[in-house]
């Protein structure tokens, strides 16, 4: 489809994507690559599960139960492991998808996924304990992935610094993660990197889809409100 993740994957050598397809955890290959296996060690007893690449969340019958479930997830967020690749040739499809790029440079890739909200396998009535639980879990997973990826890049001694990092607004569109939650997750990750003295090693840019001007404008507004937009507006 034309969403950011698939288009980003198509822009590089197909071997990277094929490796993920062949080795990712799924119903027929439960022992495959699983970024949230550490989280599930603490949260699966409540009904959290990985389902073909997406995190299935349970329903909570009360605020107290929702808090208990959320605490289990948060206690293991530090174990989340985004799949990262470096040195991937940018020799995939052209933006038109009508030919292959002749580019000779390489890029790094981070494979990350938002948690679907009121979509796919996760549904909850607005304002219910389950709704609040789902939104907080989704936001926490976003923050952990943004932070984990950027912290690893900042610590890589082989990368010239500052390393340019393009962040995609994970979870918008059909996954229903609010733009405000996405922007806040980026901001929280940046604040932690700053507190740890790692921010100067990164040149962070948020990449919006050129065919959706509203997305870019909204992210600028939200990041500016959070004090994270550079003076240039980029």
């Amino acid at each position: 489809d034309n969403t950011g993740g698939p288009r980003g994957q198509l822009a590089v050598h197909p071997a990277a994507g094929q490796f993920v397809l062949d080795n990712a955890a799924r119903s027929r290959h439960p022992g495959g690559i699983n970024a949230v296996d550490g989280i599930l060690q603490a949260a699966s007893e409540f009904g959290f599960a990985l389902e073909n690449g997406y995190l299935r969340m349970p329903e909570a019958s009360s605020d107290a139960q929702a808090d208990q479930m959320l605490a289990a997830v948060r206690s293991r967020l530090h174990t989340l492991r985004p799949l990262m690749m470096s040195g991937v040739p940018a020799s995939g499809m052209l933006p038109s998808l009508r030919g292959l790029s002749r580019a000779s440079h390489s890029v790094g890739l981070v494979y990350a996924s938002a948690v679907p909200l009121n979509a796919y396998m996760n549904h909850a009535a607005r304002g219910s304990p389950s709704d609040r639980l789902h939104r907080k879990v989704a936001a926490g997973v976003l923050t952990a992935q943004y932070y984990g990826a950027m912290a690893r890049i900042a610590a890589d001694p082989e990368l010239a610094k500052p390393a340019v990092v393009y962040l995609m607004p994970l979870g918008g569109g059909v996954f229903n993660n609010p733009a405000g939650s996405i922007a806040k997750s980026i901001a929280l990750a940046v604040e932690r990197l700053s507190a740890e003295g790692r921010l100067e090693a990164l040149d962070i840019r948020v990449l919006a889809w050129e065919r959706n001007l509203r997305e870019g404008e909204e992210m600028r507004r939200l990041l500016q409100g959070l004090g994270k937009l550079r003076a240039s507006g980029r």
Side-chain angles (χ1 to χ4, degrees):
D1 58 42
N2 258 331
T3 56
R7 289 302 296 256
Q9 179 60 75
L10 289 171
V12 301
H13 194 284
Q18 192 62 54
F19 174 83
V20 176
L21 290 173
D22 290 344
N23 295 282
R26 54 190 181 276
S27 57
R28 295 184 180 180
H29 185 34
I33 297 170
N34 179 354
V36 296
D37 54 355
I39 294 174
L40 295 180
Q41 288 179 10
S44 60
E45 63 178 287
F46 296 107
F48 288 91
L50 183 69
E51 188 170 301
N52 291 327
Y54 302 142
L55 184 66
R56 174 185 286 278
M57 296 184 288
E59 294 187 17
S61 59
S62 66
D63 287 333
Q65 187 182 44
D67 289 343
Q68 187 180 15
M69 292 174 173
L70 180 63
V73 172
R74 285 178 171 172
S75 72
R76 301 289 293 176
L77 270 180
H78 65 283
T79 68
L80 194 150
R81 299 171 296 131
L83 175 61
M84 304 178 67
M85 298 183 186
S86 61
V88 182
S91 56
M93 302 292 291
L94 294 168
S96 66
L97 302 182
R98 295 179 180 176
L100 294 175
S101 171
R102 296 183 179 179
S104 59
H105 66 283
S106 297
V107 298
L109 294 178
V110 179
Y111 288 87
S113 177
V115 179
L117 292 175
N118 280 313
Y120 297 92
M121 71 291 292
N122 296 323
H123 294 275
R126 178 171 292 276
S128 67
S130 295
D131 181 51
R132 289 189 288 273
L133 167 68
H134 291 184
R135 290 178 183 276
K136 289 179 180 179
V137 169
V141 169
L142 282 182
T143 302
Q145 291 183 107
Y146 282 130
Y147 167 76
M150 291 192 288
R152 177 66 184 86
I153 294 167
D156 190 336
E158 297 184 3
L159 290 177
K161 302 297 191 301
V164 178
V165 179
Y166 292 96
L167 301 180
M168 296 179 60
L170 287 173
V174 296
F175 275 32
N176 295 324
N177 283 232
S181 179
I182 298 170
K184 185 176 180 180
S185 294
I186 293 173
L188 289 172
V190 167
E191 288 170 6
R192 179 158 183 171
L193 291 165
S194 179
E196 295 172 345
R198 305 191 197 199
L199 194 56
E200 292 185 358
L202 303 171
D203 177 0
I204 303 170
R205 308 177 187 188
V206 177
L207 186 63
W209 192 28
E210 64 180 357
R211 297 183 188 178
N212 185 352
L213 296 178
R214 180 180 176 183
E215 181 182 58
E217 293 169 355
E218 187 171 30
M219 291 305 296
R220 285 192 189 92
R221 176 181 60 80
L222 291 167
L223 290 170
Q224 185 173 38
L226 292 163
K228 298 298 179 290
L229 190 68
R230 289 187 292 205
S232 64
R234 293 185 299 158

